[in-house]
Amino acid sequence: MNIAKDRIGGLIFLALSIAYGYSITLIPIYPGDEYEVFTAKTLPTALSVLGALLSFCLLVASRNEEKSQLPNLDWIIAIKLVLLMVFYGAVLEILGFIIATSLFLFCGYWLLGERRKLILLLCSFPLVIFFWFVLTQLLDIYLAPGALIQSIIGN
Amino acid sequence: MWEGIYLGVTTAVMPFNLLMMFVGCFAGTFIGMLPGLGPVSAVALMIPVTYGLDPSSGIILMAGVYYGAVFGASTSSILINAPGCSSTVVTAFDGFPLAQQGKAGKALALAAYSSFTGGTIGAIFLVFFAPMLAKVSLSFQSSDYFALMVLGLTAVAAFAGKGNILKALMMCVLGLMLSTVGTDRSNGVERFTFGSIEFIDGLSFLLLAMATFALAEVVMSVMDRKTAAQQNQVNNTSSLGSMKLSKGEVKQVAPTMVRSSVMGFIVGVLPGAGATIASFLAYGVERNVSSKEEKAKFGKGSLKGLAAPESANNAASTGSFVPLLTLGIPGSGTTAVMLGALIAYGIQPGPQLFVDHPDVFWSVIISMYLGNIVLLILNLPLIPYIAKLLEIPRTILIPLILFFSLTGVYLVSFNAFDIQVMVIICIAAIGMRLLDFPLAPMLLGFILGGMLEDNLRRALLINDDSMSFLWDRPLTAVIMTLAILALFGQPLLNLIRSKIGQKQQQNVFDAE
């Protein structure tokens, strides 16, 4: 895929600076602060102006930029891994640390092409249980069992 | 000073701290060796582990991880031509050809000796420079700090490489913008939280560091088919060859190591420059001063070409602790992560650290030296075994690294929402990497943002709301001038050079 990296980057950053600048209007100000030189809005305002200015400079500097080729990337696997991470974040507090993490690791190995059953099983559940043991028993870190487990076992 | 050194030695040699040093060096070497994960990720991964320790032990562990990771990254550069981080890219130039010639053992041993020399010379300099600078910096005012932070940010942009200055500056600004999210520290006003309670405390530094350096790096390495294929074809690491260096070879590389170490340390001290620039610079200088036949060997397995960047990047890693410990300004991405960790301990690095927590200050410095010895005695005999780790299939390693990164953040906040935020930042970081935007300046901007705002506010308050402190106070003015020079020096020099070139051409043309 050929893209003009600087132009795209400049445009995104310009949009971001403008959106950031607009959000400054949402920052509440205490009565009397309008007479102060430095308020909660001062640095953000300066940053938004600076950001817009820099992106404008990049856009100007990149007007003759030639499109460059993106490296040959495997997008599918990246999307799968990202979805797996989102899934892990979503179920962690429901299924609890052990089940959610074991599932995450199992699916992760699977997605990356690991098909040996023994490795798939050994490197997920036992490993997570060992890690859970180190955390909860040795380092004294409390890990909630998860809403689902709690509802089954009861408090 | 001797009292301090004594205090540092007694703290560093406590059995538990020595253990931490060993564990740190080993864990660092292991993590650094994994392609794609460098010192920044290694130190970031260690932060949750260090929360249960006292500050001295925690920081000793992280320092051990730091130089262990720098060394580990060199190992993967030499053995499989996949640098773990940018500062060891140069190591692969001559290290990998040596490995291909069957001299992998020799290359690894030389890398270990060079790292040791660089680290040792750096640590000796650190012992003398850091307290000196710490004493001077006690007289610094908020306006000087503000100027120093501006210098740090412009320097990191200036060293970002040709054509990247604008992008690095933009990333600094983005980091500063992200640092404004959350409750304003001085008057308690909520900024950019959009009504969500999750953002009231602002973004966590650990989260940002892990998402941009650990997660994004790993996902990128999976996406990149070229690296993936390269890493799947791991060389047979069981036959490394002899690890001995002959007397002649030692004689040949010794001056190179010393020269590069001194240069590396100086570059490392400069805020923003760091180990990558140091290693490139040392390699370039060494090639230029070499004889013609030696010069021809560079890039094809020259011992000098391997010793120079290795000494320089280790000395620079040590050097980057000078601004961190004395001014509280991180000189590199890794020291920025360590600064975040120190702040989490309730310790504010800076001139007061020397006064308030002399045990932390000195034990870090002394542990740097001891750590180098540990690294040498641990790594040299263990290299053949550690190298085996490179044979662990990526299909297993990658999910594990993702898991450690995600859990590392979760175990600090116990909030699953953070995992979703990490994924979003990871996607953004991948986008930025693809568009060639450097990520380290963003991290530096983020960590300096709060301090920059506080100091600017205080400086304005002291100076009756006038910006005149920028030019009225000599020290501030000098630092600001340096910042401007750092930013515009190179483009100005280029312009002058091209003008002179044009003039000379014109003269030649006229003479003809």
Side-chain angles (χ1 to χ4, degrees), chain B residues 318-338:
Chain B
T318 317
S320 64
F321 275 80
V322 175
L324 173 72
L325 291 175
T326 58
L327 304 168
I329 296 176
S332 61
T334 319
T335 40
V337 178
M338 289 182 112

Side-chain angles (χ1 to χ4, degrees), chain A residues 3 5-6 8-10 12-13 16-17 20 23-24 26-28 30 33 37-41 43-44 47-48 50-51 54-55 57-58 61 70-75 77-78 81-82 85-86 88-90 92-93 97 101 104-105 108-109 112-114 116 119 123 127-128 131 135 141-143, chain B residues 163 166-167 169-174 176-181 184 187-192 194 215 218-220 222-226 393-400 402-404 406-407 410-411 414-417 419-420 423 426-427 430 433-437 449 452-453 456-457 460-461 465:
Chain A
I3 55 163
K5 290 180 179 177
D6 289 4
I8 292 179
I12 294 175
F13 204 74
L16 187 83
S17 303
Y20 180 83
S23 312
I24 296 171
L26 305 176
I27 300 176
Y30 290 131
D33 261 5
V37 172
F38 201 100
T39 66
K41 286 184 176 184
L43 186 71
L47 290 176
S48 125
L50 198 61
L54 286 171
S55 8
C57 288
L58 186 67
L70 271 184
N72 182 15
L73 296 173
D74 187 352
W75 291 96
I77 187 73
L81 281 179
V82 163
M85 288 191 275
V86 172
Y88 180 56
L92 182 60
E93 285 179 351
F97 180 79
T101 311
F104 171 77
L105 286 177
Y109 303 142
L112 289 168
E114 184 60 63
R116 287 168 288 180
I119 291 191
C123 293
L127 193 84
V128 174
F131 195 69
L135 286 176
I141 296 172
Y142 174 73
L143 285 172
Chain B
L166 257 180
K167 286 180 172 179
L169 275 178
M170 285 159 82
M171 294 308 281
C172 286
V173 172
L174 179 63
L176 290 169
M177 284 177 175
L178 290 175
S179 76
T180 58
V181 174
D184 182 9
N187 55 13
V189 171
E190 274 181 33
R191 299 190 287 193
F192 310 107
F194 305 105
L215 284 191
V218 172
V219 177
M220 277 294 284
V222 180
M223 282 166 79
D224 197 346
R225 289 197 176 98
K226 214 172 96 196
R394 279 161 38 89
T395 48
I396 307 288
L397 265 182
I398 284 167
L400 280 177
L402 291 179
F403 154 65
F404 281 123
L406 294 172
T407 320
Y410 176 74
L411 288 179
F414 292 100
N415 184 355
F417 177 76
I419 295 181
Q420 313 294 7
V423 176
C426 162
I427 296 170
I430 292 172
R433 283 276 305 268
L434 290 176
L435 295 174
D436 292 338
F437 278 79
L452 185 119
E453 190 173 16
L456 178 61
R457 192 192 304 262
L460 281 170
L461 211 68
D465 297 337

Side-chain angles (χ1 to χ4, degrees), chain A residues 2 21 29 35 57 59-60 62 69 81 83 98 105 112 115 131 143-144:
Chain A
N2 285 324
I29 287 287
Y35 305 111
C57 288
L59 284 174
V60 172
S62 67
Q69 178 94 36
L81 281 179
L83 287 177
I98 296 180
L105 286 177
L112 289 168
R115 291 292 180 272
F131 195 69
L143 285 172

Side-chain angles (χ1 to χ4, degrees), chain B residues 55-139:
Chain B
S56 301
S57 311
I59 208 79
I60 286 174
L61 177 73
M62 275 194 275
V65 169
Y66 185 12
Y67 30 72
V70 175
F71 180 78
S74 321
T75 312
S76 58
S77 291
I78 292 169
L79 290 179
I80 57 170
N81 200 17
C85 63
S86 55
S87 63
T88 57
V89 168
V90 193
T91 306
F93 289 178
D94 281 291
F96 187 60
L98 275 170
Q100 282 179 316
Q101 292 160 20
K103 296 178 190 162
K106 187 176 271 190
L108 287 169
L110 182 63
Y113 292 133
S114 308
S115 304
F116 177 72
T117 315
T120 309
I121 292 179
I124 293 170
F125 279 10
L126 188 65
V127 168
F128 292 100
F129 274 106
M132 246 162 43
L133 197 60
K135 273 185 195 147
V136 174
S137 60
L138 276 174
S139 60

Side-chain angles (χ1 to χ4, degrees), chain A residues 3-8 61-68:
Chain A
I3 55 163
K5 290 180 179 177
D6 289 4
R7 232 172 299 163
I8 292 179
S62 67
R63 62 190 187 281
N64 294 326
E65 184 199 6
E66 278 181 24
K67 287 185 177 177
S68 54

